[in-house]
Amino acid sequence: MHFTSEQHLDDGVLEREFTLGEIPGTLWTPAIAPAPLVLMAHNNGLSKADPRLVARARYTAARGYAVATIDAAGCGDRPRSAAEEQARAHLRQAMQAGEPVEEIFESFIGPMVEKAVPDWQTTLDALLELPETAGPVGYSGGWTALGIRLAVVEPRIAAAGFFAGGFVPRAQREEAGQVTIPLLFLLQWDDEGNPRQRALDLFDAFGSKEKTLHANLGGHTGTPWFELEDGCRFLERHLK
């Protein structure tokens, strides 16, 4: 892991960009170390520099967690395959025409999850070797499909916060019953891109004995800011 830049933020948080082979990432660490590590991902291939992700990461780090995000394969500025680009073009056309889009999402989100998981595991290996990070590890992010897959294959993840706003392929919906770690599941009740019943069915499918659903009125990007505070309390119960 090679750190390429650093910036000192408020509340004693240090923000550093890094590269790990072909993987670019960002690590935020609090003043007190070592700190429990939280992996933070954003929906279905968006950049690690997305403003909403960065704001969540900085807030969480200021409350005593080491937070990391990456651009995994096919995400952010990482190269995408011709098939992925074609699927995205078909998706845009179908949405503009008001046509069904679920199968198009399946055609590129599922493979993207499979490619992203090894990058996240490689990053997790490297992060836990740093003196400023420690287990147990949490997952927090809008990319629920990735979080489900990581929770199934990665025993170092002890708790997870998911956002119900992203498309979850059939493979991950079927895997949900294998997820047994504590969960906090956020749902925007009026999310225009995520049918409410589908999100409720997914919550019901999780195998966790401790799982909490927070539902708030509003559309996809209207999650209340106080959910960040509640999310940190959830992490504190399970990571500290």
Side-chain angles (χ1 to χ4, degrees):
M1 177 174 284
H2 175 62
F3 289 103
T4 58
S5 68
E6 67 177 43
Q7 180 181 3
H8 291 272
L9 307 176
D10 294 338
D11 299 318
V13 173
L14 178 62
E15 178 180 283
R16 289 176 289 174
E17 300 292 324
F18 66 83
T19 57
L20 183 62
E22 297 181 350
I23 306 169
T26 309
L27 175 64
W28 294 265
T29 49
I32 299 176
L37 177 62
V38 177
L39 307 180
M40 193 168 286
H42 203 32
N43 260 0
N44 303 338
L46 293 181
S47 170
K48 65 182 179 63
D50 180 87
R52 286 181 294 161
L53 184 151
V54 171
R56 293 202 320 270
R58 290 176 172 177
Y59 182 96
T60 304
R63 276 139 191 87
Y65 300 91
V67 182
T69 189
I70 64 170
D71 281 343
C75 302
D77 294 328
R78 296 279 297 277
R80 295 186 177 124
S81 69
E84 289 171 340
E85 292 292 5
Q86 185 177 39
R88 289 177 183 275
H90 288 166
L91 176 63
R92 288 190 293 269
Q93 294 169 3
M95 294 179 70
Q96 291 171 359
E99 299 172 350
V101 297
E102 181 157 336
E103 290 305 316
I104 302 175
F105 271 121
E106 283 280 351
S107 70
F108 73 94
I109 298 299
M112 185 181 293
V113 170
E114 292 299 325
K115 290 194 298 183
V117 166
D119 281 356
W120 278 96
Q121 289 184 299
T122 297
T123 304
L124 179 56
D125 291 341
L127 289 169
L128 288 178
E129 292 180 357
L130 299 175
E132 54 266 55
T133 65
V137 179
Y139 177 90
S140 175
W143 198 356
T144 296
L146 173 67
I148 291 172
R149 186 74 183 127
L150 282 173
V152 169
V153 303
E154 183 47 73
R156 290 174 289 184
I157 295 179
F162 294 152
F163 176 62
F167 180 81
V168 178
R170 283 187 290 270
Q172 276 68 61
R173 294 200 296 269
E174 292 170 359
E175 285 184 318
Q178 300 176 49
V179 176
T180 58
I181 59 176
L183 294 179
L184 176 62
F185 197 55
L186 300 183
L187 169 63
Q188 284 301 102
W189 203 243
D190 308 298
D191 193 330
E192 57 278 9
N194 184 43
R196 185 185 306 162
Q197 191 58 53
R198 185 169 68 190
L200 295 174
D201 290 344
L202 179 61
F203 177 76
D204 191 52
F206 286 124
S208 304
K209 292 183 179 179
E210 180 182 337
K211 54 182 178 179
T212 302
L213 173 68
H214 285 188
N216 292 283
L217 297 178
H220 184 79
T221 61
T223 304
W225 190 251
F226 61 73
E227 289 292 359
L228 270 176
E229 182 180 351
D230 287 347
C232 286
R233 285 200 293 265
F234 168 80
L235 293 173
E236 184 172 356
R237 288 199 299 274
H238 300 292
L239 301 187
K240 290 188 175 181

